[in-house]
Amino acid sequence: MRDWETGSGEDGRAYLGGYLRSSMLSVPQRLSGLAQLIEHIAEGCAELGEHVARCAEQGTHAAGGNINSSGDRVCELDRVADELLVERLAASGSCAGVVSEERALPEVLPAAAAPYLVAMDPLDGSSNLGCSIPVGTIFSVRARGEGDPADPESYLTPGTAQVAAGYVIYGAPLELVVTTGSDVHVFFLDARRRWRLRRDHVVVPPQGKIYSVNEANVSRWEPELRQWLESCKEAGYTQRYVGSMVADVHRTLLKGGVFLYPADRSAPEGKLRLLYEAAPMAMLFEAAGGFASDGARRLLEVEAASIHQRTPVVLGGRVEVMGVERALRSSGSWHVVAATRRGRLPCIFEVGGRRVDGHLELSPGGRQHRFSSS
Ligand code: AHM
């Protein structure tokens, strides 16, 4: 064990390794290698932070010609982040396979019988590189169970199955925000590149004063959601939005209010990814006493039908998230005909006051559904 894995520094702030082992993880979690896994992710992100800083210094952030599995233009740093973190996950020996935004299919790691599967967005918000706006890494950890790490189905359990989730924000300093379910812990990277505890017991206030959304999309929203936004303005809310999910979510987690990326007429499934953006953030918000919804349901209970599935996202305090759900419920856009089997049923649904032909897809057991326009 390395010296910084135990104890605290001279200022009494615990090191990540020691804190994981002494306070944060239960004995079975420690024994099954969750501490090693989180530490390896954290170490990988510390290294990635240097690449992000170098890239900003040298102005080498421009997007290249490649398109990733999500249809986004990939810059060199996206590729570096993905490869570096997959390498660190492999080195942990605790991770059997990984789903990454940058890879069409799961990557099987050498320890294919290891206990955990990871889903990650290695570099979220990379379109913001080059203007000193923080970008981030988001990760979600699930127990592998009997799942085959090569099979996408193994990663499609609902967010309630996550055993840990977190993100790193590449600000000054770098911060790691992580939960294993019952509390949210914030670490910072000190000058000697060691993760140190900044705070735990993060609590999202039940009601805040900030809404965070891309308001340019408002004309494509449900009228009821537009009304909800107007009521926020009348109630004295202010807006903050930089378009980097980790930065906007970090502020919402610490200061309260609401972050949302709802469905709209041109994106009936929303923009953000369920497995490696929405679900881990939802776990953090619930662990901090906040709420997380897809506009109709608890986000953590939504089952993915595919590894890169998109979902509408609402994260924040109880008052704001319930306000958004109430608005969307009254719009009727999420009203679903009863159906009890897995399959793809033709249906008509309503988005932004417009009727759209599409399909309703039911997951095994018919408990979850998702729309796609045809
Ligand atoms: P990316 O994966 O291309 O970086 O997209 C994800 C980002 C989020 O970080 C952010 O919340 C959102 O997309 C911003 O989208 P928009 O520019 O439509 O507001």
Side-chain angles (χ1 to χ4, degrees), residues 72 101 121 123-127 214 217 241 243-246 248 259 261 271-272 277:
D72 302 321
E101 184 181 30
D121 184 350
L123 199 63
D124 180 73
S126 54
S127 63
N214 185 343
N217 298 335
Y241 187 74
S244 181
M245 185 187 193
V246 170
D248 286 317
F259 166 86
Y261 209 114
K271 173 178 183 187
L272 301 174
E277 292 178 323

Side-chain angles (χ1 to χ4, degrees), residues 6 31 37 45 68 70 85 94 96 118 125 128 134 154-155 159 168 174 218 232 237 273 280 340 370:
T6 53
L31 293 177
L37 182 57
C45 290
N68 69 12
S70 305
L85 290 172
S94 301
V118 167
N128 273 315
S154 307
Y155 299 79
V168 166
L174 267 63
V218 126
C232 287
Y237 277 70
R273 308 293 168 158
T340 52
R370 79 188 180 102

Side-chain angles (χ1 to χ4, degrees), residues 8-278:
S8 323
E10 46 301 333
D11 57 1
R13 291 180 187 276
Y15 295 123
L16 174 65
Y19 191 74
L20 283 167
R21 287 174 180 83
S22 64
S23 326
M24 203 175 137
L25 298 181
S26 64
V27 175
Q29 286 175 324
R30 292 201 294 269
L31 293 177
S32 61
L34 190 56
Q36 283 98 291
L37 182 57
I38 294 173
E39 281 181 280
H40 276 78
I41 294 172
E43 283 177 12
C45 290
E47 196 179 331
L48 182 53
E50 293 183 359
H51 286 275
V52 172
R54 204 170 314 128
C55 176
E57 236 172 72
Q58 298 170 352
T60 48
H61 52 270
N66 295 340
I67 305 289
N68 69 12
S69 55
S70 305
D72 302 321
R73 202 162 282 281
V74 179
C75 74
E76 177 62 8
L77 203 53
D78 283 312
R79 193 191 56 72
V80 169
D82 174 70
E83 285 177 7
L84 190 157
L85 290 172
V86 168
E87 225 171 76
R88 299 308 300 162
L89 290 170
S92 75
S94 301
C95 181
V98 53
V99 158
S100 162
E101 184 181 30
E102 303 306 330
R103 299 178 190 232
L105 292 170
E107 182 72 24
V108 180
L109 301 181
Y116 298 110
L117 299 173
V118 167
M120 66 170 182
D121 184 350
L123 199 63
D124 180 73
S126 54
S127 63
N128 273 315
L129 288 168
C131 42
S132 294
I133 288 174
V135 292
T137 293
I138 311 172
F139 61 91
S140 155
V141 184
R142 288 171 163 76
R144 182 178 60 85
E146 297 303 307
D148 172 0
D151 182 359
E153 287 274 335
S154 307
Y155 299 79
L156 302 183
T157 51
T160 46
Q162 294 172 111
V163 294
Y167 60 83
V168 166
I169 179 162
Y170 299 102
L174 267 63
E175 285 190 304
L176 163 69
V177 181
V178 59
T179 184
T180 49
S182 53
D183 196 358
V184 174
H185 316 266
V186 182
F187 296 84
F188 69 99
L189 196 68
D190 72 10
R192 294 171 62 192
R193 225 180 89 168
R194 300 164 310 182
W195 288 106
R196 314 275 305 282
L197 186 66
R198 184 189 284 288
R199 62 186 286 197
D200 50 14
H201 312 306
V202 173
V203 176
V204 179
Q207 182 166 21
K209 294 188 173 129
I210 302 172
Y211 68 86
S212 184
V213 70
N214 185 343
E215 234 174 311
N217 298 335
V218 126
S219 62
R220 299 194 295 270
W221 288 5
E222 301 286 346
E224 290 79 1
L225 191 58
R226 295 208 293 262
Q227 272 164 25
W228 167 83
L229 190 64
E230 287 310 312
S231 71
C232 287
K233 293 177 188 173
E234 281 159 23
Y237 277 70
T238 189
Q239 192 226 29
R240 297 281 182 274
Y241 187 74
V242 293
S244 181
M245 185 187 193
V246 170
D248 286 317
V249 162
H250 194 52
R251 183 193 51 247
T252 309
L253 188 76
L254 299 181
K255 293 193 168 180
V258 62
F259 166 86
L260 68 159
Y261 209 114
D264 66 37
R265 218 163 44 225
S266 63
E269 295 183 325
K271 173 178 183 187
L272 301 174
R273 308 293 168 158
L274 178 54
L275 284 190
Y276 43 80
E277 292 178 323

